[in-house]
Amino acid sequence: MNTVTIIGAGLGGLMLARVLHVHGIAATVYEAEASPGVRTQGGHLDIHAEDGQLAIAAAGLTDRFRELIHRGGEATVVRDRDARLLLDLPDDGNGERPEVLRGRLRRLLIESLPAGTVRWGAKLAEVRPLGGGHEARFTDGTVVRTELLVGADGAWSKVRPLLTGAAPAYYGTTYVETYLHDVTVRHPGVAETVGDGAMFALAPGRGISTHVEAGEVVHTYAQLHVPQDWARRIDWTDAPAARAAVLAEFGGWSPDLTRLITASDTPLVARPLYTLPVDLTWEPVAGVTLIGDAAHLSPPAGQGANMALFDGAELARHIVELGEAGPAAYEREMFPRARASAQEADDMAALLLGERAPAGLLEFFVA
């Protein structure tokens, strides 16, 4: 296969390019963002032994990955809406699901690629079939013709319509993201509430979940079962009004928890959750395939990044072993894997915000 074009420099697209590079196959990654550091890349990821870590091993990056691990990050605290401690699990150091910052892992993958592999500031405008391959047109006028086009371009993929008419649908949940910095000095008492790793404070339809990041940073998500237009009715540029609107959803909650929202050091950012059908499949189309959220978008439950990494490594493996037949073989294995992962994500979402919260999550951790 002479030309491999990857749309999207997320974890999946970069992993695909890296594993292909390890096997002597060149690929080019086109990314709409102007540079690697143009925006925050999200918080901590727990990288699973059965998929994410296998992909990192296939990329030959295990030792460098281990240098990025946040020691103690696997600790878990569960509280109720009154901030009462229900569960306190320390990080036992077994490393089965080590925590790393998404941005650092992404940077590792970028730095592992030959210079020029990623074309920054390349926003895809349209794609179309072309005899013997596909053509991608970018907003700057660049036109690329390729034998294999890989959509690693996330939830709103522009490559996906070449394979299926499926589109993301609102999941019924919106997260509101914020950060606290220098918590020991600027927010005394927060550290005691959130613990050393992850904290989940839950009730039916509502949650405040946090993760402690390096440098005394607490990354918080307020989780809400709300209508799709809820976030659109709030002026997020008006910080006091936005905080008041979110706080109103947590009436009766302990101030020890709600101050994670009201004391925010950063603007609140609403992130409505969207998903693709759990059982999504498509018939193979020569010269094009999807990985990561472009192929299987699920609610956040620790699965998405691991699936994207594994997709990238597995697609690369199939290309190395089977050439042009590789993408179709990858898809046959990916579909049931993605379906099982999506079901697990649905189950976890129910534990977090379902009618039995927080009892369901407690039972999960105890089991």
Side-chain angles (χ1 to χ4, degrees), residues 171-193:
Y171 190 65
T173 304
T174 292
Y175 283 11
V176 180
E177 181 182 27
T178 188
Y179 290 84
L180 299 179
H181 296 146
D182 302 322
V183 292
T184 300
V185 174
R186 301 185 67 245
H187 305 284
V190 165
E192 182 179 351
T193 299

Side-chain angles (χ1 to χ4, degrees), residues 194-287:
V194 302
D196 297 326
M199 182 207 71
F200 301 92
L202 306 172
R206 298 291 183 268
I208 297 176
S209 297
T210 67
H211 211 295
V212 178
E213 299 179 358
E216 296 199 4
V217 173
V218 174
H219 187 179
T220 299
Y221 284 105
Q223 302 153 296
L224 301 164
H225 280 338
V226 288
Q228 187 171 6
D229 67 347
W230 176 83
R232 292 197 292 267
R233 300 197 303 265
I234 297 170
D235 181 1
W236 297 96
T237 65
D238 183 342
R243 284 196 294 269
V246 177
L247 185 62
E249 301 291 336
F250 290 91
W253 281 57
S254 168
D256 288 340
L257 297 170
T258 57
R259 67 182 169 182
L260 291 160
I261 301 165
T262 58
S264 169
D265 290 324
T266 60
L268 303 183
V269 178
R271 301 197 182 281
L273 304 187
Y274 291 83
T275 60
L276 287 166
V278 171
D279 57 354
L280 178 62
T281 62
W282 55 81
E283 292 299 317
V285 175

Side-chain angles (χ1 to χ4, degrees), residues 11 47 65 68 101-109 309:
L11 297 180
I47 305 301
F65 162 74
L68 305 180
L101 278 171
R102 180 187 291 268
R104 291 183 179 178
L105 180 55
R106 186 181 188 230
R107 175 69 70 173
L108 170 60
L109 289 167
L309 290 166

Side-chain angles (χ1 to χ4, degrees), residues 3-7 30 123-151 153 158-162 285-289:
T3 55
V4 178
T5 298
I6 303 165
I7 307 299
Y30 292 86
K123 185 177 181 180
L124 184 65
E126 62 175 347
V127 291
R128 66 184 183 92
L130 195 68
H134 289 81
E135 181 180 87
R137 291 180 176 269
F138 297 86
T139 56
D140 64 359
T142 300
V143 179
V144 175
R145 295 176 177 85
T146 184
E147 287 181 276
L148 177 60
L149 178 68
V150 180
D153 48 344
K158 291 186 176 179
V159 179
R160 188 190 300 121
L162 293 171
V285 175
V288 60
T289 192

